[in-house]
Coordinates of all heavy atoms in Angstrom, one line a residue:
N1290 N -65.7 79.1 9.1 CA -66.6 80.0 9.8 C -67.2 79.2 11.0 O -68.1 78.4 10.8 CB -67.7 80.4 8.9 CG -68.7 81.3 9.6 OD1 -68.6 81.7 10.7 ND2 -69.9 81.5 8.9
K1292 N -68.9 80.3 13.5 CA -70.2 80.8 14.0 C -70.1 80.8 15.5 O -69.0 81.1 16.1 CB -71.3 79.9 13.5 CG -71.2 79.7 12.0 CD -72.4 79.1 11.4 CE -72.2 78.9 9.9 NZ -73.3 78.5 9.1
H1376 N -72.9 87.9 6.3 CA -73.3 86.5 6.2 C -74.8 86.4 6.3 O -75.4 87.3 7.0 CB -72.6 85.7 7.4 CG -72.8 84.3 7.3 ND1 -74.0 83.7 7.7 CD2 -72.0 83.3 6.9 CE1 -73.9 82.4 7.5 NE2 -72.7 82.1 7.0
E1378 N -76.7 84.7 8.0 CA -77.2 84.7 9.4 C -77.2 86.1 10.0 O -78.2 86.4 10.8 CB -76.4 83.7 10.2 CG -76.7 82.3 9.8 CD -75.6 81.3 10.0 OE1 -74.6 81.5 10.7 OE2 -75.7 80.2 9.3
E1448 N -72.9 82.0 -1.1 CA -73.4 81.0 -0.3 C -75.0 80.9 -0.4 O -75.7 81.7 0.1 CB -73.1 81.3 1.2 CG -71.6 81.3 1.5 CD -71.4 81.2 3.0 OE1 -71.9 81.9 3.8 OE2 -70.7 80.2 3.3
A1452 N -78.3 76.0 1.1 CA -77.2 75.0 1.2 C -76.5 75.1 2.6 O -75.6 74.3 2.9 CB -76.3 75.2 0.1
I1453 N -76.7 76.2 3.3 CA -76.0 76.4 4.5 C -76.4 75.5 5.7 O -77.6 75.6 6.1 CB -76.0 77.9 5.0 CG1 -75.3 78.8 3.9 CG2 -75.3 78.1 6.3 CD1 -75.4 80.3 4.2
G1454 N -75.6 74.7 6.2 CA -75.9 73.9 7.3 C -76.9 72.8 7.1 O -77.5 72.2 8.0
T1455 N -77.3 72.6 5.8 CA -78.4 71.7 5.5 C -77.9 70.4 5.0 O -78.7 69.4 4.9 CB -79.3 72.3 4.4 OG1 -78.5 72.5 3.2 CG2 -79.9 73.6 4.9
G1492 N -69.7 78.6 -0.7 CA -70.0 78.1 0.7 C -71.4 77.5 0.8 O -72.3 77.9 0.1
G1493 N -71.5 76.5 1.7 CA -72.8 75.8 1.9 C -72.6 74.3 1.8 O -72.4 73.7 0.8
S1494 N -72.4 73.7 3.0 CA -72.2 72.3 3.2 C -71.0 71.8 2.4 O -71.0 70.7 1.8 CB -73.5 71.5 2.7 OG -74.6 71.9 3.6
V1495 N -69.9 72.6 2.4 CA -68.7 72.1 1.9 C -68.0 71.1 2.9 O -68.0 71.4 4.1 CB -67.7 73.2 1.5 CG1 -66.3 72.7 1.0 CG2 -68.3 74.1 0.5
L1513 N -65.9 78.8 1.9 CA -66.2 79.2 3.3 C -67.0 78.1 3.9 O -68.0 77.7 3.4 CB -67.0 80.5 3.2 CG -67.3 81.2 4.6 CD1 -66.0 81.5 5.4 CD2 -68.1 82.5 4.4
V1514 N -66.4 77.6 5.0 CA -66.9 76.3 5.5 C -67.3 76.4 7.0 O -66.5 76.9 7.8 CB -65.8 75.2 5.4 CG1 -66.4 73.9 5.7 CG2 -65.2 75.2 4.0
G1515 N -68.6 76.1 7.3 CA -69.1 76.1 8.6 C -68.8 74.8 9.4 O -67.6 74.6 9.8
G1516 N -69.8 73.9 9.4 CA -69.7 72.7 10.2 C -68.4 71.9 10.0 O -67.8 71.4 11.0
A1517 N -67.9 71.7 8.8 CA -66.8 70.9 8.6 C -65.4 71.5 8.9 O -64.4 70.9 8.8 CB -66.7 70.4 7.1
Ligands
LIG125 P1 -71.9 75.2 6.4 O1 -71.9 76.8 6.6 O2 -70.6 74.8 5.8 O3 -72.1 74.6 7.8 O4 -73.0 74.9 5.5 C1 -71.3 77.6 5.7 C2 -71.4 79.1 6.1 O5 -72.4 79.4 6.7 O6 -70.5 79.9 5.9

Side-chain angles (χ1 to χ4, degrees):
N1290 172 14
K1292 310 190 181 188
H1376 190 279
E1378 288 148 20
E1448 299 199 304
I1453 295 177
T1455 58
S1494 298
V1495 176
L1513 184 58
V1514 189

